[in-house]
Amino acid sequence: MKTLFRKHLPLAICAAISTSAVAASFDVGDLDAKISPCADFNGFVNAKWVAANPIPADKTRWGAFDALREQSLKVQHEIVDAAARDADQAKAGSIEQKIGWFYRAGMDEAAIEKAGLTPLKPELERIAALKTPADIAGYITDAMVRGQGDVFMFGAGPDFKNSKIQIAFAMQGGLALPTAEYYSKPEYKDIRQAYKDHVAKMLELAGSNKADAKRDADRVLAFETRLASASLTPVEWRKPENQYHFVTVAAADAASPNFSWSKFLAAQKADIKGGFSLSQPKFFAELDKMLVDVPVDHWQAYLRAHAIDGAAPYLSRPFVEESFAFYKKTLGGQKEQEARWKRVLGATNAGMGMALGELYVAKAFPPAAKERAQELVTHVVAALKTRIEHLDWMSDATKTKALEKWATFLPKIGYPDKWRDWTGLTVKPDDYYGNVMAAARFNNAWDIAKIGQPTDRLEWGMTPQTVNAYYNPSDNTINFPAAILQPPFFDFKADDALNYGGIGAVIGHEATHGFDDEGSQFDAQGNNVNWWTQDDRNKFDARTDKLVKQFDAYEPLPGKHVNGQLTLGENIADLGGINVAWDAFQKVLKAHPAENHKIDGYTPDQRFFLNWARVWRGAIRPEHLQVLLNADPHAPAQYRAIAAPSNMPQFAQAFACKAGDAMVRSGEQQVKIW
């Protein structure tokens, strides 16, 4: 799933809105006249705002996305507060009652403090009872049934070779640090020590003495280091051939003599027909060896540490604070814990997010907004078709296939047409940890039930209250949740320039993902097959290599550059998205020439780019930035503000930039793809 922003909206309205009736919707007072837009467009648009809006103590970053998320959280808070207040009188078994009790239990700090470690003790007793490799394999199997996949990930997804059918995928996992490199590179030595200290502290909180906790923390790091040695890097993970490895159950059993996949799959009640994807064979081969050559007490240390870590946010204060100290403060630089209501709301979203989304949509997203958004999507996606038709580097044979794929795009706007059924999920008003575990089991069973069934292209992989958007190459859908269809992305009171530079570019971004370095390896039906001529693929790769080099040159931290290969898919989507949105905007402007005049001293063309940059405004703590540079396929926001426009002659013309200016890439430096 390819997302817009780190874990896109409706524009409008094919008729332009009369500027006499719209608000400016962009505060030109935020612009920094001391910075030339041709030298540093991000600084010109965003530097003053960033200086005036420091990162809140309970955040690792702060910007346009984050401010909009806060608005969404405020609405959600009102919903769950009301649900908690009225839950006892709500219809029995309704989502209102379940959400209300879930949230109320999480906010009952007194009961949670009184319970202490008690909710987790049955899990720790299961781990303590393990005596043999077969016991460990059985525990892993049972834990997955309960939705607790610590050692590896398992779930349903479209078959890469027959996307109409859902199959099972087993994928690497088991690491607590952000990427495999953290376990081996010298530069992360201090992080490794901090992780060991964290594990030891958690084990002590759970009853271990100091010496045993330190010993087991060493064992946990050694265990994960071995897993990491067999794990893919984030760059390797992006390649489709590393995400899919179809095997029969018999072949999987033969490759893993110490772990019975047939027993595992039977326990999951997965409808396995011809086989499943054992997606990273090297990882699972190593895991199989570890079942017999890692001592049982080392396995117990690892499983115990992960069980405590996973439960910590839902237990008493000492566990919550230690979890925050390592994962948020040490790794992310966050200064203070978020308010409890936000953390409990996060757990509610994780457990019952789509149910909460149903209530969110009813409160915050009227049907008319969905209709207007659909019109804008139609406009921008049509512009992508035109660009494909007029590419001067692609042969007619490949264009035909590209247009076939374009024709099967399925845009989904706002929220699902059909909501999930939550019958069978039992939520109690006084058992926070129990509710979290019940939801994990329920959601896992719901996912596993899809295996062997037809793929549902109408299903959503993101909740309506999420400020983001995504493209799914396996079903060729572009998806725009309700929460992102708001300013600064979309504002139907604003002029078309702002809307096309905001949500229009987001729509173009997600559509272009269908043709980025990964998406272009999936066809119109969502199958991982090659539909390119070799010559066209070579030309595409040559063009994208230039984009890799452009981002490799950006240095957000001293000595630490952006990984152009890791971020390539998002960078292709940004470049294609803004160009597609520009074309759609120019078509609207041509149809309504009366709108072609300045607002607040800036032309429509300039305002288009101003809003593009405004979307990416923000600041980030260096600790969090370090993690994202290693693990995140999205480039830092300040470079997304400038990278794509610097490749567009339209930008240079809009702001009268000249060759040699930092915001003008020309000749061999200029990147043109879609």
Coordinates of all heavy atoms in Angstrom, one line a residue, residues 279-308:
S279 N 7.0 -15.4 2.1 CA 7.5 -14.3 1.3 C 9.0 -14.0 1.3 O 9.6 -13.6 0.4 CB 6.8 -13.0 1.7 OG 5.4 -13.1 1.4
Q280 N 9.7 -14.3 2.4 CA 11.1 -14.1 2.5 C 11.8 -15.4 3.0 O 12.0 -15.7 4.2 CB 11.5 -13.0 3.5 CG 11.0 -11.6 3.1 CD 9.6 -11.3 3.3 OE1 9.0 -11.7 4.4 NE2 8.9 -10.6 2.4
P281 N 12.1 -16.3 2.0 CA 12.6 -17.6 2.3 C 13.8 -17.6 3.3 O 14.0 -18.5 4.2 CB 13.0 -18.2 1.0 CG 12.1 -17.5 0.0 CD 12.0 -16.1 0.6
K282 N 14.8 -16.7 3.0 CA 16.0 -16.6 3.9 C 15.6 -16.4 5.3 O 16.2 -17.0 6.2 CB 16.9 -15.5 3.4 CG 18.2 -15.4 4.2 CD 19.0 -14.2 3.6 CE 20.2 -14.0 4.5 NZ 21.0 -12.8 4.0
F283 N 14.7 -15.5 5.6 CA 14.3 -15.2 7.0 C 13.7 -16.5 7.6 O 14.0 -16.8 8.8 CB 13.3 -14.1 7.0 CG 12.7 -13.8 8.3 CD1 13.3 -13.0 9.2 CD2 11.5 -14.4 8.7 CE1 12.7 -12.7 10.5 CE2 10.9 -14.2 10.0 CZ 11.6 -13.3 10.8
F284 N 12.8 -17.1 6.9 CA 12.1 -18.3 7.5 C 13.0 -19.5 7.7 O 12.8 -20.3 8.6 CB 10.8 -18.6 6.7 CG 9.7 -17.6 7.0 CD1 9.4 -16.6 6.0 CD2 9.0 -17.6 8.2 CE1 8.5 -15.7 6.3 CE2 8.0 -16.6 8.4 CZ 7.7 -15.7 7.4
A285 N 14.0 -19.6 6.8 CA 15.0 -20.6 7.0 C 15.8 -20.4 8.2 O 16.1 -21.4 9.0 CB 15.9 -20.7 5.7
E286 N 16.2 -19.2 8.5 CA 16.9 -18.8 9.7 C 16.1 -19.1 11.0 O 16.5 -19.6 12.0 CB 17.4 -17.4 9.6 CG 18.4 -17.0 10.8 CD 19.7 -17.8 10.7 OE1 20.0 -18.4 9.6 OE2 20.4 -17.8 11.7
L287 N 14.8 -18.6 10.9 CA 13.9 -18.8 12.0 C 13.7 -20.3 12.3 O 13.7 -20.7 13.5 CB 12.5 -18.2 11.7 CG 11.5 -18.3 12.8 CD1 11.9 -17.5 14.0 CD2 10.2 -17.7 12.3
D288 N 13.7 -21.1 11.3 CA 13.5 -22.6 11.5 C 14.7 -23.1 12.2 O 14.6 -23.9 13.2 CB 13.3 -23.3 10.2 CG 13.0 -24.7 10.4 OD1 11.9 -25.1 10.8 OD2 13.9 -25.6 10.1
K289 N 15.9 -22.7 11.8 CA 17.1 -23.1 12.5 C 17.2 -22.7 14.0 O 17.6 -23.4 14.9 CB 18.4 -22.6 11.8 CG 18.6 -23.1 10.4 CD 19.8 -22.4 9.7 CE 20.0 -22.8 8.3 NZ 21.1 -22.1 7.6
M290 N 16.7 -21.5 14.2 CA 16.7 -20.9 15.6 C 15.8 -21.7 16.5 O 16.0 -21.7 17.7 CB 16.3 -19.4 15.5 CG 17.4 -18.5 14.8 SD 16.8 -16.8 14.6 CE 16.8 -16.3 16.3
L291 N 14.8 -22.3 16.0 CA 13.9 -23.1 16.9 C 14.7 -24.2 17.6 O 14.3 -24.6 18.7 CB 12.8 -23.7 16.0 CG 11.6 -22.8 15.7 CD1 10.7 -23.3 14.7 CD2 10.8 -22.4 17.0
V292 N 15.7 -24.7 16.9 CA 16.5 -25.8 17.6 C 17.8 -25.5 18.1 O 18.3 -26.1 19.0 CB 16.6 -27.0 16.6 CG1 15.2 -27.7 16.3 CG2 17.2 -26.6 15.3
D293 N 18.5 -24.4 17.5 CA 19.8 -24.1 18.0 C 19.9 -22.9 18.9 O 21.0 -22.6 19.4 CB 20.8 -24.1 16.9 CG 20.5 -23.0 15.9 OD1 19.9 -22.0 16.3 OD2 21.0 -23.1 14.7
V294 N 18.8 -22.3 19.2 CA 18.7 -21.2 20.2 C 18.1 -21.9 21.5 O 17.0 -22.5 21.4 CB 17.9 -20.0 19.8 CG1 17.6 -19.1 21.0 CG2 18.5 -19.3 18.6
P295 N 18.8 -21.8 22.6 CA 18.2 -22.5 23.8 C 16.8 -22.0 24.2 O 16.5 -20.8 23.9 CB 19.3 -22.0 24.9 CG 20.5 -21.8 24.2 CD 20.1 -21.2 22.8
V296 N 16.1 -22.8 24.8 CA 14.7 -22.5 25.1 C 14.6 -21.3 26.0 O 13.7 -20.4 25.9 CB 14.0 -23.7 25.8 CG1 12.6 -23.3 26.3 CG2 13.8 -24.8 24.8
D297 N 15.6 -21.2 27.0 CA 15.5 -20.0 27.9 C 15.8 -18.7 27.2 O 15.3 -17.7 27.6 CB 16.4 -20.2 29.1 CG 17.8 -20.5 28.8 OD1 18.1 -20.8 27.6 OD2 18.7 -20.5 29.7
H298 N 16.5 -18.8 26.1 CA 16.8 -17.6 25.3 C 15.5 -17.2 24.5 O 15.1 -16.0 24.4 CB 17.9 -17.8 24.3 CG 19.3 -17.9 25.0 ND1 20.4 -17.4 24.5 CD2 19.6 -18.5 26.1 CE1 21.4 -17.6 25.3 NE2 21.0 -18.3 26.3
W299 N 14.8 -18.2 24.0 CA 13.5 -18.0 23.4 C 12.6 -17.4 24.4 O 11.8 -16.4 24.1 CB 12.9 -19.3 22.8 CG 13.3 -19.6 21.4 CD1 14.3 -20.4 20.9 CD2 12.6 -19.1 20.3 NE1 14.2 -20.4 19.6 CE2 13.2 -19.6 19.1 CE3 11.5 -18.2 20.1 CZ2 12.8 -19.4 17.8 CZ3 11.1 -17.9 18.8 CH2 11.7 -18.5 17.7
Q300 N 12.5 -17.9 25.6 CA 11.6 -17.4 26.6 C 11.9 -15.9 26.9 O 11.0 -15.1 27.1 CB 11.7 -18.2 27.8 CG 11.1 -19.6 27.7 CD 11.3 -20.5 28.9 OE1 12.5 -20.6 29.4 NE2 10.3 -21.1 29.4
A301 N 13.2 -15.6 27.0 CA 13.6 -14.2 27.2 C 13.0 -13.3 26.1 O 12.5 -12.2 26.4 CB 15.1 -14.0 27.3
Y302 N 13.2 -13.7 24.9 CA 12.7 -12.9 23.7 C 11.2 -12.8 23.8 O 10.6 -11.7 23.7 CB 13.2 -13.6 22.4 CG 12.5 -13.0 21.2 CD1 12.9 -11.8 20.6 CD2 11.4 -13.7 20.6 CE1 12.3 -11.3 19.5 CE2 10.8 -13.2 19.5 CZ 11.3 -12.0 18.9 OH 10.6 -11.4 17.8
L303 N 10.5 -13.9 23.9 CA 9.0 -13.9 23.9 C 8.5 -13.1 25.1 O 7.5 -12.4 25.0 CB 8.5 -15.3 23.9 CG 8.8 -16.1 22.7 CD1 8.4 -17.6 22.9 CD2 8.1 -15.5 21.4
R304 N 9.1 -13.2 26.3 CA 8.7 -12.5 27.5 C 8.9 -11.0 27.2 O 7.9 -10.2 27.5 CB 9.5 -12.9 28.7 CG 9.0 -12.4 30.0 CD 9.8 -12.9 31.2 NE 9.9 -14.3 31.2 CZ 11.0 -15.0 31.1 NH1 12.2 -14.4 30.8 NH2 11.0 -16.3 31.2
A305 N 10.0 -10.6 26.7 CA 10.3 -9.2 26.5 C 9.3 -8.6 25.5 O 8.8 -7.5 25.7 CB 11.7 -9.0 26.0
H306 N 9.0 -9.3 24.5 CA 8.1 -8.8 23.4 C 6.6 -8.8 24.0 O 5.9 -7.9 23.6 CB 8.2 -9.6 22.2 CG 9.3 -9.1 21.3 ND1 9.1 -8.6 20.0 CD2 10.6 -9.1 21.5 CE1 10.2 -8.2 19.5 NE2 11.2 -8.5 20.4
A307 N 6.3 -9.7 24.8 CA 4.9 -9.7 25.4 C 4.7 -8.5 26.3 O 3.7 -7.9 26.2 CB 4.7 -11.0 26.1
I308 N 5.7 -8.2 27.1 CA 5.7 -7.1 28.0 C 5.6 -5.8 27.2 O 4.8 -4.9 27.5 CB 6.8 -7.1 29.0 CG1 6.8 -8.4 29.9 CG2 6.8 -5.9 29.9 CD1 8.1 -8.6 30.6

